[in-house]
Amino acid sequence: MIQITKEELLSRYAAGERNFSAIKFRADSERRLYKIDLHGADLRGINLSGSDLTFTNLREANLSGAILSGATLTQSDLREANLEGVIAVGTMLGRSALSLSSLRDANLTGASFLQGGCRCADFTGANMYGVTMAEYNVDGADFSNVDLEFATIIKVDFSKADVRGFFTFQQAFFWQVTLPDGVYIEGPLFNP
């Protein structure tokens, strides 16, 4: 993994470079809550695949069209971020905050959403095939036209989520899940 500072990333991005795969940020000299603060940064189309973005502040950042496949965003702040059309296959989002973010038409195949929240986030049209979602707050999130086929869903309450249009859990595994219609599944249960 290549170590880089926030300033190096922003300077190289401004110069037109977009491929920053497999990077790890060097922490600022002053220890703060977040290792790197990219609050509000415009990083449209950036390639951060395989990168370690643990403890990164990306609140209100524009990452539309970014490639985040295989990246680790554990305990990162992505609230109010623009993640429309991102490719985040196999991305780790453990304990990250996605509230009020837009993930419209994102490819989230195999991503892991663990012990965090996406309250009022917009997942409309996102590909969520094979995701793992455990102990995740989805209150008010829009899952319209989302397919959670082959997903693993554990301790998630979808009763306060918006699921207009197509929404399916075919071939999914459930354990202690409340479906959008309020039906509680104790599980474990595989939904063929």
Side-chain angles (χ1 to χ4, degrees):
M1 215 168 258
I2 300 164
Q3 291 208 353
I4 190 171
T5 64
K6 166 189 166 180
E7 291 74 20
E8 289 172 315
L9 173 88
L10 294 174
S11 173
R12 289 166 54 184
Y13 182 89
E17 188 174 342
R18 295 297 180 263
N19 188 358
F20 296 91
S21 59
I23 65 164
K24 180 176 183 167
F25 283 114
R26 283 192 294 260
D28 293 335
S29 57
E30 296 177 26
R31 200 64 178 129
R32 296 184 183 98
L33 176 62
Y34 291 101
K35 183 170 37 175
I36 296 295
D37 187 354
L38 291 168
H39 180 254
D42 185 353
L43 300 170
R44 287 175 281 184
I46 194 167
N47 180 354
L48 292 166
S49 59
S51 294
D52 182 356
L53 304 171
T54 303
F55 291 113
T56 300
N57 181 2
L58 290 160
R59 186 172 187 164
E60 297 179 345
N62 185 351
L63 293 162
S64 60
I67 302 171
L68 302 172
S69 295
T72 301
L73 288 148
T74 304
Q75 295 188 331
S76 291
D77 187 350
L78 292 155
R79 291 175 292 167
E80 302 176 74
N82 181 352
L83 298 161
E84 292 183 14
V86 298
I87 300 170
V89 176
T91 300
M92 300 295 296
L93 293 152
R95 294 187 178 153
S96 56
L98 285 162
S99 296
L100 300 168
S101 293
S102 178
L103 294 105
R104 294 177 71 88
D105 302 316
N107 183 350
L108 304 168
T109 303
S112 296
F113 298 87
L114 309 173
Q115 297 179 328
C118 59
R119 188 183 52 76
C120 298
D122 186 356
F123 288 88
T124 302
N127 178 355
M128 298 186 77
Y129 182 93
V131 300
T132 299
M133 188 175 282
E135 298 181 58
Y136 217 71
N137 180 351
V138 299
D139 289 357
D142 189 345
F143 289 97
S144 297
N145 300 314
V146 169
D147 185 354
L148 286 162
E149 191 172 6
F150 288 100
T152 300
I153 312 290
I154 301 169
K155 297 183 180 180
V156 177
D157 182 352
F158 285 97
S159 66
K160 294 179 185 167
D162 186 347
V163 293
R164 289 170 286 150
F166 177 77
F167 183 73
T168 184
F169 287 109
Q170 293 180 349
Q171 306 293 321
F173 173 83
F174 300 112
W175 185 38
Q176 298 180 1
V177 174
T178 303
L179 298 177
D181 61 5
V183 172
Y184 178 74
I185 298 174
E186 177 62 35
L189 174 71
F190 179 70
N191 182 32

